[in-house]
Amino acid sequence: MLELDVKESKSYQELKSIVLSNTFPWFIDNYGYTKHNFDFLTHTVVRRGENKPNSFIYEPTLKFLQSCGLKYRFKIKRIYRMAFNLTFPCTLEKSGVHTDLNKDHKSIIIYFKNDEYELGTIIYNKMMEKGKSSTFENNIDNDILKEIKGKEDTGVMFDGLHYHEAYFPKKDKRIVLVVNI
């Protein structure tokens, strides 16, 4: 697991100014694959499994990720998915336990905006079993590997086969970049 501090990155600051602007396009989506069902806003830069750009913001996002790779010494061989997600307070506390993909990958979460509580992501010890098709887990034992604080301008990279779930903000909004490489 690798914790990231991106606030000093010029490419991050450029990207952040675009994403937090009042002209950045957001699209409604629904997360309804488990007992957790909620609407959220998203901007998909690379669709799951397509490995090709889906957005005008692909180049600046890739530039930022490559700068992280240089600083933290990791390589981006393939992008399975890349999206900005925006969530608001809702009746649920957390998103539900899941993995983003059912294959070997790394997950990167960058916190662009969060409320004063800085609620982040829970990463569990339990990992998805090989060959399992569903990426959702309703019977997790709550054995936590790490609880990441959702502090603005920071992030985390972890083995994407670890089950995880996000906290919803209590006030205001939460904007994250989620990348699967």
Side-chain angles (χ1 to χ4, degrees):
M1 186 163 330
L2 182 61
E3 294 189 38
L4 312 171
D5 182 346
V6 298
K7 70 178 160 274
E8 301 300 323
S9 164
K10 182 180 178 192
S11 59
Y12 170 74
Q13 292 300 333
E14 290 169 359
L15 185 60
K16 185 177 180 180
S17 70
I18 296 168
V19 172
L20 298 185
S21 75
N22 64 358
T23 59
F24 187 70
W26 292 99
F27 304 92
I28 195 161
D29 203 347
N30 181 272
Y31 182 97
Y33 305 104
T34 65
K35 63 181 179 178
H36 296 79
N37 188 349
F38 57 89
D39 290 334
F40 66 102
L41 297 175
T42 191
H43 185 103
T44 304
V45 183
V46 175
R47 289 185 197 278
R48 201 177 305 263
E50 288 187 6
N51 197 29
K52 65 181 182 179
N54 184 61
S55 169
F56 74 93
I57 203 159
Y58 175 79
E59 290 298 330
T61 308
L62 182 61
K63 181 181 173 184
F64 161 63
L65 287 173
Q66 288 170 333
S67 74
C68 285
L70 286 173
K71 181 177 179 179
Y72 292 101
R73 298 184 180 152
F74 66 84
K75 293 189 182 204
I76 301 167
K77 296 176 187 169
R78 179 182 173 125
I79 299 172
Y80 293 106
R81 174 177 160 253
M82 183 162 45
F84 292 91
N85 292 338
L86 188 160
T87 53
F88 292 99
C90 68
T91 59
L92 299 171
E93 179 188 13
K94 295 178 273 189
S95 65
V97 179
H98 66 282
T99 62
D100 295 337
L101 302 169
N102 62 355
K103 62 178 89 183
D104 285 331
H105 69 285
K106 298 287 184 197
S107 289
I108 301 171
I109 302 170
I110 306 291
Y111 300 93
F112 277 65
K113 177 99 176 111
N114 209 345
D115 69 11
E116 65 193 68
Y117 297 100
E118 297 181 334
L119 298 173
T121 306
I122 300 170
I123 302 168
Y124 293 99
N125 274 319
K126 185 173 182 181
M127 296 178 77
M128 175 183 260
E129 298 166 14
K130 297 263 189 229
K132 187 174 178 188
S133 60
S134 173
T135 58
F136 299 94
E137 178 63 66
N138 288 320
N139 300 313
I140 195 84
D141 59 10
N142 293 329
D143 189 15
I144 296 173
L145 175 65
K146 180 89 174 173
E147 190 160 349
I148 303 298
K149 198 159 186 72
K151 184 172 170 52
E152 194 169 313
D153 305 330
T154 68
V156 63
M157 183 170 81
F158 58 96
D159 186 320
L161 291 178
H162 277 280
Y163 285 105
H164 60 280
E165 64 183 326
Y167 282 103
F168 288 106
K170 291 184 179 185
K171 296 181 177 179
D172 202 19
K173 61 186 165 285
R174 175 185 189 259
I175 298 174
V176 295
L177 170 62
V178 178
V179 183
N180 304 121
I181 57 174

